[in-house]
Structure formats: structure tokens, C-alpha cells
Amino acid sequence: AVKRSSLVSHAKSLGYTPRSTTAPVALVDITNYDDQTNSGLLRRGSKFSGRAGNANYNFVPIRDYELDSSGSVKNVELYQGEVRSVSFVAPSGDSSIRYTIPDSAVDTKTIKVQVFESPTNPNGISDVWAEGSNYTQIGPTTNVYFLQEDFDESFSISFGDGVIGKKLSAGNVITISYLVTKGAEANGLGKSDSSTSRSFVSNASALSTVTVVNYAAGGGDKETISSIRFNAPKAYAAQNRAITTNDYEALIANNFGGFRSVYAFGGEDAEPPQFGRVIVVLNPNVGSVIPTSLKTSIESFLRQRCSVG
């Protein structure tokens, strides 16, 4: 295959979904934040501005954080981009229907899917559906969606057929919330943060102070054709389980972005030896920082797929 659409089609038959654009993540502490609603929360999608040279970038948290009595919260992960959402009404329960996300620069790891009974029935408002990746753990009532890249490089989701994944009913309302990002552009933002020159400011709370703990890192562009050609067969060989070091590398490269390369080795090869461990080394896109959120996500992901020991 030469064209990307043809290569993606071949990769799909191997169960491989190319990586999307990934957002840089900055770790910050926030003080004196006024949420303006007296909810005591820093809401998902609350806007912050970051400046690098002559360029301004939007940053947002992608989950809610609880504020203390003074309006402060520590270790907030700010993602570069803007939270958007799109809704669809299911015309039927046909599992072949795909619902296209209209933004090509979506970070697919930030997708949040909810399904409601109907436009007038809010049942399901607290249900968040997970991406289906391990078919051995998906039953007929499991709330999962399936993600794929389409021929025009956009992403779309589909739902189960009542055997693998829960089947939708006609009239169900599907809401997809996601982050649109500029990828690697904002990597490194926050390096020059100081008490006299803050790199981030809140758009909603002018009196708040944002202190950088770790500068923005981990942003990456959409997976290239050569990377798909290299990674898809390795991901297929791994079969969604981590046994060999090649499996670890393939799973990480397939499911995460924001770094140039990944290398894994057994702890018995470390100096001094660390038996019973697997060590993963990531080469960052910029500088020497890999976001804590990325490391935590990779560790949690691998623990579900590695051997019992």
C-alpha cells in the first residue's frame, strides 16, 4: 500500500488503529481560583492561556478537579487544545453505522462518549462508555465503542451488535466530547515560568495564579505512513498482550504518542539487576521530560496486559 487510506485499510484488518494527534500536557498548581458557580470544582474544559514567543495556546483540564476552601488545587494536568462535543441521534441499532468526529486534529485518548435514552429522557447521563480494545472482556451488555480512522483521515466510532458490546436502540442520543489540539507545537511551553512571569493564566479567574510544576510535553503529530507500516504488524503479533519486550514496545507505540521512540527490557538486564520488573524507556519529542500523566497511563495500560508475575 502506498496511499494512507489503503494502508489504514490493511492495518484495520490487523486490528490496528493509527495514533491520532496527541496533546502536550503541563502539570501545574493553581491558587485563588474563582469557579464563579460556587461548585468548588475546576471544571473539565475550563480555559487557560499559555504563551510561547509570539504564539498563544489554549490549555484545558480534561477532568474535574476539586478546589479547597481557598480556591487552590495541586497537580492539575492542563492539555493543549479546546474541548468540543458533537451529538447524534441513532437512526437504528445497526452496528455498521459510524458516527464521524468532524475534527481531524482530535486527540483520541481524550474522547468521552455518553449515550442517553432519547432527546427527552436523560437516563444514562452519568454513563461514560469505554473504548473496546480487549474483545475477550466485552459481553453483550458492555458499554463500549469502537474507534477507527476513515479514508479521509478523520476518526469515527461505532457500537456493538448485542453480542460484542451493547447494541444501541433507535432514538438513542450519542454525545461525543473530545479535545482538538495543535499537537507538538506547544511542547516546552512553561520552561521559563517564574514568579514574575507566569507562563499560564486563567481566562475565567483573573486573580488566580498558575505555577508550573512540569512544563508542557508529550505532544505529537498524527502517526505517519511509515510508522503505521512499521507498527501495525508488530501490534498484530503482540495480540494485545505483553509477554516479550517486543510486545511491550508494540503496545506502547500503538496506543500512545508524544515521544520519538520506545525501548523495553527486562529488569534482569539492568545494572544492578531488578528481577520481576520490566523497564520502559521513552525518548521524548522535546527536552528530557515525559509527562507524569503519560507514564501513569502507560503503566496502568500495561498492568492489564502483562503476565501474572
Side-chain angles (χ1 to χ4, degrees):
V2 177
K3 293 183 177 180
R4 182 184 180 95
S5 58
S6 302
L7 190 64
V8 168
S9 179
H10 285 302
K12 190 183 303 180
S13 67
L14 300 178
Y16 185 87
T17 302
R19 290 193 313 271
S20 68
T21 307
T22 55
V25 184
L27 189 68
V28 303
D29 293 339
I30 301 174
T31 57
N32 300 321
Y33 185 84
D34 180 7
D35 70 347
Q36 300 180 346
T37 62
N38 297 319
S39 65
L41 295 174
L42 173 64
R43 296 284 189 183
R44 167 184 166 93
S46 299
K47 292 184 177 181
F48 293 78
S49 294
R51 186 173 182 84
N54 294 324
N56 285 317
Y57 296 94
N58 289 325
F59 279 78
V60 296
I62 63 169
R63 68 175 182 87
D64 293 344
Y65 288 86
E66 187 173 350
L67 300 166
D68 64 18
S69 58
S70 65
S72 301
V73 58
K74 291 183 177 295
N75 297 326
V76 175
E77 293 175 347
L78 295 182
Y79 287 68
Q80 190 282 310
E82 178 183 353
V83 173
R84 297 180 184 174
S85 64
V86 60
S87 295
F88 305 91
V89 177
S92 70
D94 187 351
S95 60
S96 66
I97 297 175
R98 298 202 301 265
Y99 303 91
T100 301
I101 298 173
D103 294 284
S104 61
V106 58
D107 182 344
T108 57
K109 296 303 177 187
T110 66
I111 290 175
K112 181 180 178 182
V113 175
Q114 293 174 287
V115 178
F116 311 110
E117 289 292 334
S118 70
T120 58
N121 187 344
N123 285 345
I125 194 168
S126 61
D127 296 336
V128 177
W129 293 45
E131 182 181 354
S133 56
N134 190 345
Y135 287 81
T136 62
Q137 298 178 0
I138 299 175
T141 60
T142 308
N143 290 356
V144 295
Y145 65 89
F146 303 99
L147 179 73
Q148 66 180 43
E149 182 178 323
D150 296 329
F151 70 93
D152 59 354
E153 298 188 30
S154 62
F155 287 90
S156 64
I157 67 170
S158 57
F159 294 89
D161 58 0
V163 178
I164 301 177
K166 187 174 181 178
K167 185 177 181 179
L168 298 186
S169 300
N172 285 168
V173 177
I174 305 152
T175 298
I176 307 171
S177 175
Y178 56 92
L179 184 76
V180 176
T181 179
K182 295 184 178 180
E185 281 188 27
N187 279 337
L189 199 153
K191 275 187 176 180
S192 59
D193 186 74
S194 68
S195 59
T196 57
S197 179
R198 293 299 179 192
S199 300
F200 295 95
V201 295
S202 168
N203 292 8
S205 181
L207 298 179
S208 64
T209 301
V210 183
T211 303
V212 174
V213 178
N214 287 333
Y215 61 79
D221 297 324
K222 184 176 293 187
E223 187 169 12
T224 63
I225 289 177
S226 60
S227 177
I228 297 171
R229 186 177 287 114
F230 180 79
N231 287 322
K234 295 182 180 296
Y236 177 73
Q239 291 294 302
N240 204 37
R241 85 282 187 266
I243 304 298
T244 69
T245 55
N246 286 337
D247 294 341
Y248 279 85
E249 292 170 0
L251 284 170
I252 295 171
N254 178 200
N255 291 279
F256 299 92
F259 46 84
R260 294 178 184 174
S261 58
V262 56
Y263 176 66
F265 61 96
E268 68 277 7
D269 295 325
E271 184 61 46
Q274 301 179 43
F275 297 105
R277 291 180 179 269
V278 176
I279 299 170
V280 175
V281 184
L282 301 176
N283 183 12
N285 282 332
V286 60
S288 58
V289 172
I290 293 292
T292 302
S293 59
L294 178 59
K295 289 189 269 188
T296 302
S297 296
I298 291 175
E299 181 180 359
S300 176
F301 177 83
L302 292 176
R303 283 188 184 277
Q304 300 176 25
R305 291 161 176 79
C306 62
S307 58
V308 174

